[in-house]
Amino acid sequence: MKQIRVLLIEDHFLARMALHSVLSGHPQIKIIGEAGDGESGISMYRQLRPDVVVLDLRLPRISGFDVITQLRKEFSSVRIVVLSNYQGSEDIYRAVHSGAMAYLTKDASGEELLNAIQNVDRGLRYLPHVALDRLAQRMPAVELTPREKEVLVCITKGRSNREIAEDLNIAEKTVRIHVSSVLDKMGARDRTQATIYALQRGLVHLE
Amino acid sequence: MKQIRVLLIEDHFLARMALHSVLSGHPQIKIIGEAGDGESGISMYRQLRPDVVVLDLRLPRISGFDVITQLRKEFSSVRIVVLSNYQGSEDIYRAVHSGAMAYLTKDASGEELLNAIQNVDRGLRYLPHVALDRLAQRMPAVELTPREKEVLVCITKGRSNREIAEDLNIAEKTVRIHVSSVLDKMGARDRTQATIYALQRGLVHLE
DNA sequence: CCCCGTATAGGACATATGGCCCTTGTCTTT
DNA sequence: AAAGACAAGGGCCATATGTCCTATACGGGG
């Protein structure tokens, strides 16, 4: 029976231990490598050519998204299972559209993880109901323009229109325009709601 | 050599596996029970009387804080190590003041966890620098009154002053008063900043 | 009994915010 | 060449937000 060769890319020690003990208990899985950050994860992929990568999205230095993009560029057939703490629609969307084949949150069960890995190894997607719901819920995906994203980030930092104008070296009038379209596109009534939605959807993150 | 008898209270399967594999690998630790929610955790404590409890703060149904409070009421000498995803000062503060002896985040190393358990078993506190920093940082802890907390919660849900007035059945004028003192006490300039701070400090949580 | 904290609320006021109108200039796509 | 998206900005205006001052009422602690 063919074993699925798995590479773990996960910075949290405890989470790595968890994955290790769940997966190594299963005869069909063989963990052939573990990386604690994106760069070493990528270079281990180059050397080991695993069947499936299990990837955390929040990594030090470079993000999980970057890892997906980079791996897809070099190895278009790479099979990636994303394992994230965040269930914001934006993270799911970005991960799937970067080329991830599965998206699990860290409250997943062992079976779910196993199923995901097996499916992904066969080239099939694996998205739990929650993830699909979030994606659908996001669907009215009115994309923000780059400038609007910048403005949104400022808003979620608690900056006033005037301050944003100074930050971006534009007139406050222009900031208002951008704020208006951001609110419109996000379905928010004011900047506080926009901030909450942006955080919920994973468009921005705290700290 | 005396073994430390540990009870795990943690709802996430993967996290339980992680704790299990980290701790059971160490000869000085013996896991004598695992619970997936607060109620069963408390009843297992009554039966097993472990030396140390390792507790997650986010649990289904009743919170980790409630577990701490309840256990402290019945067993004043209970030794609790809190393991949380959240590093907001409010969570740390509430956990420590409820009677937790240690506070670790889930990016902790194996050694840290082990040290924490050993210290706590001997009746000593174990708070990493980060946790102490957060506590200190919180210190200008101007307590919000009950009403102000209610108002703050409404604010962080994106409600307008008028809506809050309807929610709480008071005049909008009164809401403004409460909002003002909330902003003042939190050092925020407007409701958006208050929302951000409240989330960062763990005073409220999303979803 | 009086003071303080809390919750309630009115009046007045300055400013921030957000909506609606319109214009200009630069790119890209058709 | 025309159409469309994006960025920048002016003018006008209604309303939301937040502050200051004053006042009433309830409750507990000194």
Side-chain angles (χ1 to χ4, degrees):
Chain A
M1 189 174 74
K2 178 219 171 200
Q3 271 194 323
I4 304 174
R5 293 157 55 253
V6 173
L7 168 63
L8 305 180
I9 308 180
E10 162 70 74
D11 60 326
H12 287 3
F13 168 77
L14 282 174
R16 260 204 325 272
M17 290 302 284
L19 291 173
H20 204 96
S21 62
V22 171
L23 297 181
S24 64
H26 207 277
Q28 210 179 335
I29 306 280
K30 183 178 172 66
I31 297 174
I32 59 170
E34 296 183 28
D37 65 277
E39 290 93 340
S40 57
I42 291 174
S43 72
M44 289 186 77
Y45 189 95
R46 291 199 191 100
Q47 292 167 22
L48 303 174
R49 305 297 179 88
D51 299 313
V52 174
V53 178
V54 175
L55 174 69
D56 188 4
L57 279 188
R58 302 290 146 217
L59 295 172
R61 314 169 59 80
I62 72 171
S63 80
F65 300 116
D66 298 333
V67 174
I68 299 176
T69 311
Q70 180 63 31
L71 286 181
R72 290 277 296 187
K73 198 159 64 181
E74 289 185 46
F75 313 92
S76 59
S77 68
V78 61
R79 316 276 203 217
I80 299 176
V81 173
V82 165
L83 192 63
S84 170
N85 271 317
Y86 303 85
Q87 72 287 63
S89 55
E90 195 61 22
D91 283 335
I92 304 176
Y93 178 84
R94 287 180 60 195
V96 171
H97 279 70
S98 302
M101 305 285 289
Y103 193 103
L104 299 179
T105 51
K106 287 192 178 168
D107 57 354
S109 67
E111 281 120 322
E112 250 183 319
L113 182 57
L114 196 64
N115 279 330
I117 293 178
Q118 288 173 335
N119 274 288
V120 167
D121 177 57
R122 289 193 222 107
L124 306 170
R125 284 194 196 291
Y126 185 95
L127 293 171
H129 301 72
V130 261
L132 287 171
D133 283 356
R134 298 281 177 168
L135 273 183
Q137 171 194 12
R138 184 206 188 262
M139 266 320 159
V142 211
E143 278 296 332
L144 298 184
T145 69
R147 205 49 159 170
E148 285 165 356
K149 275 182 205 158
E150 290 184 84
V151 171
L152 176 58
V153 169
C154 291
I155 290 176
T156 62
K157 283 180 179 164
R159 309 285 285 167
S160 72
N161 287 339
R162 188 173 306 171
E163 289 169 335
I164 299 176
E166 287 165 15
D167 292 349
L168 305 183
N169 278 308
I170 54 180
E172 186 188 326
K173 203 61 212 176
T174 310
V175 175
R176 308 261 275 267
I177 306 289
H178 291 311
V179 171
S180 274
S181 23
V182 167
L183 297 186
D184 183 40
K185 290 182 179 178
M186 298 185 70
R189 196 176 45 192
D190 55 55
R191 56 212 298 116
T192 305
Q193 288 192 349
T195 301
I196 298 168
Y197 295 168
L199 289 170
Q200 283 175 339
R201 301 180 190 180
L203 261 160
V204 297
H205 292 281
L206 284 176
E207 265 101 340
Chain B
M1 188 174 75
K2 179 222 171 199
Q3 271 194 323
I4 304 176
R5 294 157 52 255
V6 173
L7 169 63
L8 305 180
I9 308 180
E10 161 71 71
D11 60 325
H12 287 1
F13 168 77
L14 282 175
R16 262 206 321 275
M17 289 302 284
L19 291 172
H20 205 95
S21 62
V22 171
L23 296 181
S24 63
H26 206 278
Q28 210 179 336
I29 306 279
K30 183 178 171 65
I31 297 173
I32 60 170
E34 296 183 30
D37 66 278
E39 292 92 342
S40 57
I42 292 175
S43 71
M44 288 186 78
Y45 189 96
R46 292 200 189 99
Q47 291 168 22
L48 303 174
R49 305 298 180 87
D51 299 314
V52 174
V53 178
V54 174
L55 175 69
D56 187 6
L57 279 188
R58 301 290 146 217
L59 295 172
R61 311 171 58 81
I62 72 172
S63 80
F65 300 117
D66 298 333
V67 175
I68 300 176
T69 311
Q70 180 62 30
L71 286 180
R72 288 278 296 186
K73 198 159 66 182
E74 289 185 46
F75 312 93
S76 59
S77 68
V78 61
R79 316 273 202 220
I80 298 174
V81 173
V82 166
L83 191 64
S84 170
N85 271 318
Y86 304 85
Q87 71 287 63
S89 56
E90 195 62 21
D91 283 335
I92 304 175
Y93 178 83
R94 287 180 60 194
V96 170
H97 279 70
S98 303
M101 304 286 289
Y103 193 103
L104 299 180
T105 49
K106 287 192 178 170
D107 57 354
S109 67
E111 280 120 324
E112 250 184 319
L113 182 56
L114 196 65
N115 280 330
I117 292 178
Q118 287 172 335
N119 274 288
V120 166
D121 177 57
R122 290 191 222 108
L124 305 171
R125 284 192 197 291
Y126 184 93
L127 293 172
H129 299 74
V130 260
L132 287 171
D133 284 355
R134 298 281 177 166
L135 272 182
Q137 170 195 11
R138 183 206 189 264
M139 266 321 159
V142 209
E143 277 297 332
L144 298 183
T145 70
R147 206 49 160 171
E148 286 164 356
K149 276 180 204 159
E150 292 183 82
V151 171
L152 176 58
V153 168
C154 292
I155 291 176
T156 62
K157 285 181 178 163
R159 309 286 285 166
S160 71
N161 287 340
R162 188 173 306 172
E163 289 170 335
I164 299 175
E166 289 165 14
D167 292 349
L168 304 182
N169 277 308
I170 54 181
E172 187 189 327
K173 209 62 212 176
T174 311
V175 175
R176 308 259 276 266
I177 307 291
H178 292 312
V179 171
S180 271
S181 23
V182 167
L183 296 186
D184 184 40
K185 289 183 179 178
M186 297 185 70
R189 195 177 46 190
D190 54 55
R191 56 211 300 118
T192 305
Q193 288 193 348
T195 300
I196 298 167
Y197 295 167
L199 289 170
Q200 283 175 338
R201 300 180 190 180
L203 260 160
V204 297
H205 292 282
L206 284 177
E207 264 100 339

